Amino acid sequence: MSPNTSYTPRTPAPDPSGTAGSGGVTLEEVLALLELRPLEPSGAHLTRWRGGTQHTPADRLFGGLLLAQAIVAAGHTAAGDQRVLSVQADFVRGVPTEQDLVWEVERVSDAVSMSTRRSTLRDGRGRELFTATTRWATTRGDLPSYSALAPRRVAGPEELPDLWERFAGDERIPAWWSEPRPVHFRPASTPPFLAEHVEQDPEPGQTVWIRATSPLPDDHLVRAALVAYVSDMSIIEDAFRVLGSARHEPGGRILSLTHSLTFHRRPDLSSWHQFDARVGSVSHGKALGT
């Protein structure tokens, strides 16, 4: 899994309720949101799929849910022996939270071993809100594999608290970070949420341990979608760490611009996964993380 995401800060809109994000979201609720309803036969050139929305801490939908549903919608139209290979997504406009999501899936290309799909979300005026191009391919266990990447050396997950445990009851932290999540989410170091959390001369990079909170169904679509969902939870903290600034300064906001994922193996978050992220550049308020 190799995510690359760009972000830009903007001025936030006020939360009218004052309690946005209250209650968290369970794994069961996320899995239910991945059960999309077909609006046309899956074999058509252009199909539509309806999915639900989740409770979120702001006036826009969590980007991880968009990534996850885009994969599931496209996967329903791919050949049964093909697995998701890559995702290239663009967040064009904020997606409102008050109505169901209707996905358009275009069958861009089909071949024996590989196919391409484009999942698009539009508003009521037909304007594009989000789009994701996915590649699907058969797998070859007889071909050699290689990776030059080595995991960072950090404490194991058993030695670390979940994020919501670390910040439970801390009203200075947005509720999104201090609630139970669909996965165990355990940062190896304290995230730079507040000025007091910003390290002096920090080591570049961040690591989060991730594992599903309950057993997952044996469905490659669901398991890949869950990885996409959690990949958007925390990839940009390193930008604040290297700049020596706090993530949750008043008036700041973080938005995804682009998000890329490559699946090198079949994902399964039933076991602990080490999620390493590093920001390679920051300019004009935009950061590139890998």
Side-chain angles (χ1 to χ4, degrees):
M1 181 180 69
S2 302
N4 299 274
T5 307
S6 298
Y7 294 81
T8 183
R10 297 182 185 176
T11 302
D15 169 30
S17 69
T19 59
S22 176
V25 58
T26 67
L27 178 59
E28 289 71 23
E29 290 170 330
V30 171
L31 295 181
L33 290 172
L34 300 181
E35 297 177 1
L36 307 185
R37 301 185 296 278
L39 301 179
E40 282 95 15
S42 60
H45 174 72
L46 184 67
T47 59
R48 293 185 306 152
W49 304 80
R50 184 182 298 275
T53 60
Q54 72 176 89
H55 187 77
T56 55
D59 58 335
R60 55 191 166 88
L61 205 62
F62 171 51
L65 180 62
L66 300 178
L67 293 166
Q69 286 194 359
I71 289 176
V72 172
H76 284 318
T77 72
D81 60 343
Q82 294 182 355
R83 300 293 181 264
V84 62
L85 180 66
S86 65
V87 183
Q88 175 68 44
D90 289 298
F91 296 81
V92 183
R93 292 181 173 90
V95 179
T97 62
E98 67 273 7
Q99 57 190 15
D100 284 353
L101 306 177
V102 176
W103 292 94
E104 297 177 357
V105 178
E106 179 185 0
R107 303 172 71 98
V108 179
S109 67
D110 279 297
V112 174
S113 62
M114 182 176 293
S115 60
T116 304
R117 299 290 184 265
R118 184 173 295 117
S119 303
T120 304
L121 191 65
R122 303 182 188 277
D123 65 11
R125 298 165 57 184
R127 298 179 304 177
E128 186 175 292
L129 302 176
F130 173 90
T131 184
T133 300
T134 52
R135 303 275 185 161
W136 303 80
T138 55
T139 58
R140 290 282 301 273
D142 59 323
L143 296 177
S145 299
Y146 171 77
S147 176
L149 300 176
R152 300 178 71 221
R153 294 187 177 182
V154 297
E158 294 81 5
E159 306 173 43
L160 302 168
D162 271 308
L163 191 68
W164 70 272
E165 294 175 318
R166 190 181 296 227
F167 295 116
D170 192 335
E171 296 181 353
R172 300 170 301 168
I173 302 296
W176 177 246
W177 303 108
S178 57
E179 299 168 341
R181 295 186 163 213
V183 294
H184 293 291
F185 200 80
R186 301 183 178 181
S189 57
T190 302
F193 289 167
L194 304 174
E196 65 192 63
H197 301 155
V198 178
E199 304 172 16
Q200 299 298 321
D201 301 320
E203 178 185 354
Q206 66 173 9
T207 293
V208 177
W209 287 98
I210 301 173
R211 193 190 73 190
T213 54
S214 57
L216 294 174
D218 187 17
D219 184 330
H220 70 94
L221 264 183
V222 170
R223 293 186 175 190
L226 185 62
V227 168
Y229 181 95
V230 302
S231 72
D232 201 44
M233 282 184 175
S234 179
I235 192 176
I236 209 67
E237 273 77 15
D238 195 41
F240 297 94
R241 185 173 284 112
V242 298
L243 294 176
S245 61
R247 173 171 180 154
H248 295 299
E249 291 290 346
R253 190 175 194 181
I254 299 174
L255 300 175
S256 298
L257 296 181
T258 64
H259 197 111
S260 300
L261 282 165
T262 301
F263 293 89
H264 303 278
R265 297 184 183 182
R266 295 186 183 183
D268 180 8
L269 291 182
S270 296
S271 59
W272 286 110
H273 279 55
Q274 181 175 337
F275 182 29
D276 293 336
R278 181 168 181 171
V279 168
S281 64
V282 183
S283 59
H284 309 291
K286 299 174 181 64
L288 176 67
T290 301

